Amino acid sequence: MNTLFKQTLTASVLSSMLMGTAFAAPAEAPPAFIKRVADGLITRLKTDHAKLQNNPAAVKAIVRQNLDPYIDSQAFTRIVMGTYATNQYSNAAQRAQFENNFRETLIENYGTAFAKYSNQSYTMRPYKETGSKNPVVTLDFNNNGEKIPVSFQLADKGSQWKIRNINVSGIDLGLQFRNQFAATVKRNGGDLDKAIANFQPDADAAVKKK
C-alpha cells in the first residue's frame, strides 16, 4: 500500500474522530451522513490544496471546521483508554486530559498529511440496515487502482449521528490505540498521569498491524 496515501487517509479519519459535537439528525440515513462528511472534507482539500503546503495552521482549520461537528470524542476516549477509562482507574479530570492530549498529538503528528492530498476518490459499499444501534458504513478509498476499505461505526446520540470508531483495512484503530496506551501505562510503572502525558499514538504502526 502506498505509504504516503495510507498516512494521509489515516490522518484524516483519525483526526475526524477526536473532536466536537454533531448536528446530523438521526433521520438522515447513515450512508448519507458519511457521504456528506467525506464529500465536505474532500471538497475542502481540493479547494485549499495550494494553501495547505507548509501551513499547519490551515490544515488544523480544515479539521476543526469540517470534521469537528461529527465526532463522539468521549466514546473514542473510552475505547482507547479501555479499562483505564473506568472510575476504578481514572477520574473525570484524567479522562478529559487524555482526550485533549490525544487529539492534539494526532493533529500535530498527522495534520501535515492533509497537504499531500492528491485528488484520491472513494466509492461507497452497499449499506445493509441491521437495526443495530451502532450502524457501520464502509467506503473504499481509491489510490492508483488500490482500494482501501474504511468502515465508520456510528452512534445515535439522540438528535444526531456521531462517529465513534473506525476500521481501516480490517484493523480496528480504537483497539490498536488501546494496546498502545496500555503499553505506555506499563512503561510508566502504572502511573496513569505520566502515561497520559507521555502517550504518543502511532497511527502508522496501527494500520501496519495486518
Side-chain angles (χ1 to χ4, degrees), residues 48-63:
D48 292 347
H49 179 73
K51 299 178 183 178
L52 302 183
Q53 304 300 320
N54 301 314
N55 191 343
V59 176
K60 291 180 181 180
I62 285 181
V63 173

Side-chain angles (χ1 to χ4, degrees), residues 78-121:
R78 290 193 297 270
I79 290 171
V80 176
M81 290 190 74
T83 57
Y84 296 106
T86 64
N87 291 332
Q88 180 180 355
Y89 293 97
S90 65
N91 55 45
Q94 288 173 315
R95 292 189 289 272
Q97 187 63 55
F98 176 91
E99 181 180 340
N100 181 69
N101 289 0
F102 189 36
R103 178 180 66 242
E104 292 303 318
T105 298
L106 285 175
I107 293 174
E108 186 68 28
N109 289 346
Y110 295 96
T112 53
F114 282 107
K116 300 178 178 66
Y117 175 80
S118 57
N119 205 33
Q120 287 85 5
S121 61

Side-chain angles (χ1 to χ4, degrees), residues 2-73:
N2 182 280
T3 301
L4 177 59
F5 176 70
K6 196 170 185 179
Q7 182 188 39
T8 303
L9 176 60
T10 304
S12 65
V13 296
L14 286 175
S15 296
S16 76
M17 292 189 64
L18 295 173
M19 296 172 284
T21 56
F23 302 99
E28 183 179 25
F33 166 71
I34 290 298
K35 184 178 187 302
R36 179 162 60 83
V37 174
D39 288 350
L41 173 62
I42 290 173
T43 297
R44 186 68 184 277
L45 289 173
K46 288 180 178 179
T47 301
D48 292 347
H49 179 73
K51 299 178 183 178
L52 302 183
Q53 304 300 320
N54 301 314
N55 191 343
V59 176
K60 291 180 181 180
I62 285 181
V63 173
R64 292 190 170 94
Q65 294 170 15
N66 293 269
L67 297 171
D68 285 7
Y70 312 110
I71 311 306
D72 189 344
S73 58

Side-chain angles (χ1 to χ4, degrees), residues 129-147:
E129 178 59 65
T130 63
S132 171
K133 66 178 182 179
N134 297 125
V136 175
V137 178
T138 300
L139 305 181
D140 287 318
F141 285 86
N142 305 307
N143 182 51
N144 297 323
E146 181 181 15
K147 290 185 177 181

